[in-house]
Each structure stands twice: as structure tokens, then as C-alpha cells.
Amino acid sequence: MILASASPRRARILRDLGLSFEVVVSGVDETMAPHEDPAAAAARIACDKARFVAGQGAGRPVLAADTMVVCDGRVLGKPGTPEASVAMLRLLSGRTHDVVTGVCAIAGGVERSGVERTAVTFAVLDEAEIAWYVATGETLDKAGAYHVDGRGALFIRSIEGSPSNVAGLPVTLVRRLLREVGVRLFP
């Protein structure tokens, strides 16, 4: 199988499941269209990634995903700077937001896709906690400025839905889509 994603977290999830795969990064444009719904955008981008990699002629099953963190209708991407991380964490503090992941699987000319939505509620964070977390560097390359399987777990009060979705790959949806395209994960 090919994982059409540069995400080390997605690769880790698949490795933890005991699956054999190769990473091939698609390089497709991951920009949302103006006024595009985040769930629709995540599904479209995941399918664009999968189609691009499948079109390279590998002939193997392809799995792709795209994850967005959404709070009050605003998509929170990777902050990139400490200041942007602080602003995102202040926004998420004491609130519930959605993590939306689009997943696409292609095998043997068959394509299936779906979207998983998980509600994540943060504890109230004080300024010292935010400053400490941002100083760890963990926030810079994570959508929404936190990592559910890292230090960010300290601030998550509850998760309603798929926990693996919050890490970037909803495994139950992946299993269903791969089965629908004829790929069995286990004998």
C-alpha cells in the first residue's frame, strides 16, 4: 500500500497497526477554495492526493488523508510561529472544537472517500501554561497548535468521536474505505 501523506503521525498510526506501506508525497495544492466547507475541503484534498499518487502508475492501493482543526467556523492550520501558536491556544482554551479528516482510498480503479468529525474540548489554559507549551516547540507544525499524543494531551478535557482522528487518521474509517476498495488489512 502507498500512504500519500508526509505526516509522520499518519505513518506512525499505520505502523502501530502493523501495516506495510510506502510513503509517497503527492505535492498537490492543499488550499481551501473560497467559501469551501472544511469537511468538503478535507475530503477533496484527500482525494486529490490519492488520485495524484495513484496516477503515477504504481498499481498499488493508495490511502490519503487531510485533517483540519475548526473552531467557530475558522480553520486553524499549522501556526508556524510562536505568536500564532499562542493565539490559537487562547482561542481553544476552555472550548470545544472539531477535528475534521477527509480520507480517500483507491485500489484497482475503485475510489472511496469519507469524512470523520471529532469534537475535542480543551481545559481552560492560563498564560503560563500556554507559554510553557509553545516553548516546547511542539505546537509549530501541528494543525490547531497541539499534539494529542504529545504534551498537548495535558490540556484535552474530552474527546467525542474517534481519538485517532485527532492524531490525523481515523482508523475505523480507513478500515471501512480500504475494505470497500477490496483491500483487506488482515487475513
Side-chain angles (χ1 to χ4, degrees), residues 31-186:
T31 307
M32 284 181 63
H35 310 294
E36 188 173 25
D37 174 75
R44 176 187 56 77
I45 293 167
C47 288
D48 288 350
K49 291 176 184 180
R51 289 175 191 141
F52 180 86
V53 171
Q56 301 301 302
R60 291 182 284 165
V62 176
L63 178 69
D66 189 72
T67 300
M68 297 191 184
V69 174
V70 184
C71 186
D72 286 342
R74 180 177 157 200
V75 176
L76 305 179
K78 297 175 183 176
T81 68
E83 296 77 20
S85 293
V86 168
M88 285 185 191
L89 291 167
R90 283 178 180 154
L91 177 66
L92 297 176
S93 176
R95 304 181 67 197
T96 300
H97 64 277
D98 287 328
V99 176
V100 180
T101 302
V103 179
C104 184
I106 299 175
V110 178
E111 177 183 311
R112 294 293 183 269
S113 63
V115 174
E116 186 80 27
R117 183 180 303 267
T118 303
V120 179
T121 302
F122 258 46
V124 174
L125 308 178
D126 63 36
E127 290 300 312
E129 290 170 318
I130 291 172
W132 168 81
Y133 188 39
V134 172
T136 69
E138 186 176 276
T139 65
L140 295 178
D141 68 340
K142 311 289 188 296
Y146 72 94
H147 182 33
V148 66
D149 291 330
R151 293 176 181 109
L154 291 166
F155 309 120
I156 296 174
R157 196 170 73 215
S158 67
I159 295 175
E160 186 176 327
S162 168
S164 65
N165 182 39
V166 184
L169 194 63
V171 296
T172 303
L173 177 59
V174 165
R175 176 180 167 265
R176 179 176 63 84
L177 295 176
L178 286 173
R179 289 176 78 175
E180 289 177 7
V181 299
V183 176
R184 296 202 46 88
L185 298 177
F186 312 100

